[in-house]
Amino acid sequence: MCKKGKLNLIIVDDHPMILEGLKSLLNIQQYQVFLFTKGKAALDFIQENKIDIVLLDIVLNDGNGLDFCRTIKQSSPDTIVIAVSNQAERSIIFQFLENGGNGYILKNADANEIVCCIENAVNGEVALSKEVKEIMLKPNVNNYVLPRLTKREQQILRYISEGSTSVEIAEGLFISVITVETHRRNLLQKFKAKNMIELVKIATENKLI
């Protein structure tokens, strides 16, 4: 299924427009590109084909990109896995790299930067976009810094504070329960909270809800 002579590259993102946008940036002479909106489908494809590069979103409808990265690297250590995400939290970036990731690119990076990062990864470097490097170089001070939340995370945080279950949140926002659970895990990680009670407490104290 994969053609010889090109690097086989997978893009995994649950937004079709982003899939097509990233694909349009890549040199079709250099890459054979495959698009997936589901992480598990991409994993199955990797099991059956030699894949050189995976561009992976962190928040997916059927799971967490952090977990998918670890699974890919366990089954295919030579595959280059690069996050392409809106998640700009220092802890998430470091965890992705600890899980075996070869790079991390924020989606607000320009086209040239994205292409250069992918090429750097192919050449054996850790591929980090400019803003990611700045985030990683900031001193890790003890003072608590409020994380940046996406609009969806703010919505889910509000539901959590009202005591809604994952099923109720999913129905209210017209998304899957798995997506809600992924956001819950990301929120716990962002706030460094041990459980939902502590998460709501921190958010309330900082007037986020």
Side-chain angles (χ1 to χ4, degrees), residues 59 64 87 89 91-92 144 147-150 152-160 169 180-196 199-200 202-203 208:
V59 179
N64 188 318
Q87 303 295 319
E89 310 321 310
S91 60
I92 291 178
Y144 185 77
R148 285 194 308 181
L149 299 181
T150 65
R152 179 67 82 199
E153 286 170 340
Q154 290 172 347
Q155 293 171 329
I156 289 176
L157 182 58
R158 195 173 303 113
Y159 272 101
I160 292 172
I169 297 172
V180 175
E181 292 295 334
T182 298
H183 280 299
R184 279 181 179 268
R185 288 195 298 271
N186 286 340
L187 284 167
L188 286 174
Q189 191 170 49
K190 282 187 174 186
F191 282 92
K192 298 180 174 61
K194 296 176 183 177
N195 51 48
M196 290 299 157
L199 171 65
V200 172
I202 294 171
L208 294 178

Side-chain angles (χ1 to χ4, degrees), residues 144 146-147 157 161 191-193 196-209:
Y144 185 77
L146 287 176
L157 182 58
S161 70
F191 282 92
K192 298 180 174 61
M196 290 299 157
I197 295 174
E198 185 177 356
L199 171 65
V200 172
K201 180 175 180 289
I202 294 171
T204 302
E205 288 174 349
N206 288 280
K207 297 180 172 56
L208 294 178
I209 50 179

Side-chain angles (χ1 to χ4, degrees), residues 101-117:
N102 301 88
Y104 202 106
I105 303 170
L106 292 183
K107 287 182 179 177
N108 62 5
D110 63 37
N112 288 335
E113 187 175 14
I114 293 173
V115 171
C116 285
C117 282

Side-chain angles (χ1 to χ4, degrees), residues 162-179:
E162 295 168 355
S164 300
T165 66
S166 291
V167 172
E168 290 169 340
I169 297 172
E171 290 175 351
L173 296 177
F174 302 101
I175 57 178
S176 71
V177 174
I178 293 175
T179 299

Side-chain angles (χ1 to χ4, degrees), residues 39-50:
K40 291 177 182 176
L43 289 179
D44 291 340
F45 189 79
I46 292 169
Q47 293 288 337
E48 299 173 0
N49 297 274
K50 181 185 180 301

Side-chain angles (χ1 to χ4, degrees), residues 1 4 10 20 24 29 56 58 69 71 75-76 80 103-104 107 141 145 154 158 164 172 186 195 207-208:
M1 192 170 187
K4 295 182 179 179
I10 282 179
E20 292 297 336
S24 70
Q29 301 301 318
L56 180 65
I58 296 296
C69 174
T71 301
S75 62
S76 182
I80 296 168
Y104 202 106
K107 287 182 179 177
V141 295
V145 178
Q154 290 172 347
R158 195 173 303 113
S164 300
N186 286 340
N195 51 48
K207 297 180 172 56
L208 294 178

